[in-house]
Amino acid sequence: MKITKSFFGKINEESEVELFTLLNDNQVSVKITNYGGIVTSIVTPDKNGELDNIACGFDKLETYLSADYLGGYPYFGVICGRCCNRIANGKFTVEGKKYSLATNDGPNHLHGGIVGFDRRLWKADAIKGRDTVGVKMSYFSPDMEEGYPGNATITCTYTLTNNNELILEYTAVTDQTTVVNLTNHTYFNLTGGKKQILDHELELNAKSYTEGVNLIPTGKILPVEGTPLNFLHKKKLKKDIADLETGYDDNFVLDNPEGKLVHAGQLSEGTTGRTVDVYTTQPGIQLYTGYWIPELTIDGEKKFGRYSGVALETQHYPDSINKPEFPSVTLAPKQKFYEKTIYTFGTK
Ligand code: BGC
């Protein structure tokens, strides 16, 4: 197991950005930068031992900062927060006090606002365990940043094991009651970006989903049975996708009321044999099939575009702060926020 640190670029005169490369004994490697806590690359072997990057990302910081990319910003690989996904109209009330957040998705607040955790520079410390390598990212989010109450300290630790697991652990503490919902926004393409994700197969251990109107939950939890959202048995992403105007962008309800670590599902791809199993302590998972991923020209080559990656975002449900019937996303002083997600990479 090995961890190396390199210079990734500068976001301004003072701030140098780092890139960490975690490598295990099975040739699995994961690159993570402290800019946005972005997972820029995940290299895994396919069934024949061929190595390829299965995460949408770039090898240069400047591409993450480019106008082209940010114009149709798909949040490749980032940590989303302070509250991931949407808050309707950017408004909520906590302890009788009304708050108005930055809105950056039509009338709504998305993934933490205009400058969310995805565009912050995190403090990063390399960690070397006996059979693991990792990076601990920390970020101090001041009171009223993007409109959220409370000084909050957030950590996200990424650990790679020799069992080909990438473990993500989040913690948060605050000095005033606030909203915290954290996810990682990695998009997978198990062909290494050679084909669209439509032939990928997905199985999700979710019997229900949160009904949405314009991507905001109505509050109703409905069964997936008899709908295109039924992934209880493995099926290709393309099977029912034509029934949906812009592909999948839905929050599934995992049977996980107590926040145990549960198996959320498995993504797989036949030609390469690659699999990704997802385990989480969170109650929900957003399936987003990347309808709006922009096509980019990188070093003269056209890359990405619609359906070039699929995100499996473990999270609390969207707009939970306005839905008392959903699992809570408030964090009070003295409470400790902890969530864990594991992506396990395999072949079959
Ligand atoms: C959201 C999508 C959004 C995408 C990129 C996903 O988490 O559910 O609606 O387009 O992130 O921002």
Side-chain angles (χ1 to χ4, degrees):
M1 298 227 98
K2 207 173 128 188
I3 178 162
T4 50
K5 180 168 105 172
S6 60
F7 172 71
F8 197 41
K10 276 185 160 192
I11 45 170
N12 54 43
E13 276 311 300
E14 301 94 70
S15 309
E16 292 201 351
V17 179
E18 298 163 335
L19 185 70
F20 293 83
T21 304
L22 318 182
L23 173 69
N24 77 4
D25 298 344
N26 314 313
Q27 292 183 293
V28 171
S29 67
V30 180
K31 291 189 183 192
I32 303 159
T33 168
N34 63 331
Y35 174 72
I38 300 172
V39 174
T40 67
S41 145
I42 302 173
V43 172
T44 72
D46 71 2
K47 62 184 175 191
N48 302 316
E50 297 284 334
L51 297 175
D52 226 328
N53 174 19
I54 61 162
C56 295
F58 313 122
D59 52 16
K60 290 196 188 104
L61 178 66
E62 64 197 50
T63 318
Y64 286 99
L65 307 177
S66 69
D68 248 17
Y69 172 63
L70 293 172
Y73 190 31
Y75 295 81
F76 280 177
V78 304
I79 300 174
C80 297
R82 198 179 291 197
C83 181
C84 64
N85 214 302
R86 292 178 175 79
I87 295 181
N89 303 310
K91 293 201 185 329
F92 62 89
T93 303
V94 165
E95 294 178 340
K97 234 174 127 181
K98 289 189 173 142
Y99 294 93
S100 260
L101 303 177
T103 52
N104 58 330
D105 186 59
N108 303 318
H109 176 89
L110 175 68
H111 295 327
I114 297 163
V115 187
F117 292 177
D118 56 292
R119 296 190 218 189
R120 303 284 179 188
L121 197 60
W122 295 61
K123 180 180 170 290
D125 295 300
I127 302 169
K128 197 153 180 348
R130 235 170 60 135
D131 259 323
T132 61
V133 279
V135 190
K136 181 177 182 177
M137 304 272 179
S138 318
Y139 177 65
F140 172 76
S141 174
D143 184 28
M144 295 313 283
E145 184 177 61
E146 297 295 302
Y148 289 100
N151 291 298
T153 301
I154 316 291
T155 73
C156 178
T157 305
Y158 303 80
T159 308
L160 180 67
T161 72
N162 266 335
N163 297 325
N164 299 345
E165 299 158 312
L166 177 63
I167 306 172
L168 291 89
E169 288 169 286
Y170 306 90
T171 71
V173 288
T174 178
D175 63 357
Q176 279 179 61
T177 302
T178 190
V179 186
V180 180
N181 189 4
L182 301 171
T183 195
N184 176 275
H185 211 294
T186 292
Y187 291 83
F188 295 102
N189 183 320
L190 305 185
T191 70
K194 293 186 181 68
K195 290 187 220 149
Q196 290 186 322
I197 47 80
L198 294 168
D199 278 311
H200 283 44
E201 293 169 321
L202 181 67
E203 185 184 331
L204 282 179
N205 292 322
K207 293 197 190 78
S208 51
Y209 69 102
T210 52
E211 181 194 51
V213 172
N214 298 330
L215 299 167
I216 300 293
T218 60
K220 276 195 202 145
I221 291 182
L222 300 179
V224 295
E225 199 78 52
T227 79
L229 276 63
N230 188 348
F231 285 97
L232 285 167
H233 301 286
K234 181 171 91 169
K235 79 176 175 197
K236 286 202 171 170
L237 288 172
K238 73 177 178 196
K239 175 147 186 292
D240 300 318
I241 208 166
D243 296 351
L244 306 161
E245 223 174 293
T246 52
Y248 290 94
D249 193 359
D250 296 277
N251 174 61
F252 290 77
V253 173
L254 300 171
D255 185 15
N256 194 17
E258 270 137 51
K260 284 195 287 195
L261 190 74
V262 294
H263 186 223
Q266 186 189 65
L267 182 71
S268 55
E269 201 279 323
T271 63
T272 61
R274 285 196 180 91
T275 57
V276 179
D277 281 277
V278 184
Y279 300 83
T280 189
T281 55
Q282 302 242 39
I285 187 165
Q286 183 89 10
L287 167 65
Y288 174 55
T289 45
Y291 187 87
W292 302 109
I293 299 177
E295 188 179 72
L296 301 168
T297 304
I298 300 166
D299 300 330
E301 213 188 305
K302 282 203 183 341
K303 282 196 159 174
F304 304 106
R306 182 160 298 163
Y307 300 136
S308 57
V310 50
L312 294 163
E313 306 152 57
T314 56
Q315 59 174 11
H316 275 58
Y317 313 158
D319 202 30
S320 286
I321 192 63
N322 293 308
K323 302 279 178 326
E325 62 274 39
F326 287 174
S328 168
V329 288
T330 57
L331 182 72
K334 300 208 176 89
Q335 281 184 329
K336 277 194 181 146
F337 176 98
Y338 178 80
E339 297 290 352
K340 179 174 180 173
T341 291
I342 306 178
Y343 296 117
T344 306
F345 310 113
T347 51
K348 62 178 179 189

